[in-house]
Amino acid sequence: MSALWHLVLVSGIIGAGVGLAYGAMPALVMAAVPVSETAAANSLNTLMRSIGTSVSSAVAGVVLAEMTITLGSVALPAQNGFRVVMAVGAGAALLAFVLAAFLPGQRPAAAEAAAPATDGRPATPAET
């Protein structure tokens, strides 16, 4: 990142990715848990998201506060500090990707698995 627009571009891409992930996560959580557990699962998702945001902001703040340059009498975050923050974020994203690759896929609905497929349409409760 040798220019300010590089930082703005990377930050914009990260912001778009986080926005898309935050929007999709509740639907993924709802599809992965039984109906009776959706409230608890979405609450846990929200809690973990809040904790993750707080911890990552604190880590970024510490890194930027420790990696400074002095300009006159003012200490400013150094360019390398921003590089380190972006690298830590990229590492965390890669770790999340690896963990997500090991998540189990969607399981078939119980009615679809138990119902005989006679004419290609799902069985109604009266037919089972």
Side-chain angles (χ1 to χ4, degrees):
M1 288 185 291
S2 59
L4 180 61
W5 71 269
H6 293 155
L7 178 63
V8 172
L9 177 67
V10 169
S11 297
I13 291 170
I14 290 170
V18 168
L20 291 171
Y22 276 16
M25 194 60 72
L28 294 171
V29 169
M30 297 284 282
V33 298
V35 175
S36 62
E37 299 294 324
T38 55
N42 273 321
S43 297
L44 183 63
N45 173 46
T46 302
L47 176 65
M48 292 297 109
R49 194 167 52 188
S50 296
I51 290 171
T53 302
S54 299
V55 169
S56 63
S57 297
V59 168
V62 167
V63 169
L64 292 175
E66 290 298 318
M67 299 182 78
T68 61
I69 58 171
T70 304
L71 186 63
S73 63
V74 179
L76 300 171
Q79 185 178 21
N80 284 338
F82 287 101
R83 287 182 178 148
V84 169
V85 169
M86 295 295 175
V88 169
L94 182 62
L95 177 64
F97 178 75
V98 169
L99 289 174
F102 290 104
L103 290 176
Q106 285 187 330
R107 37 181 208 267
E112 293 175 3
T118 55
D119 60 355
R121 63 179 177 81
T124 62
E127 294 175 338
T128 57

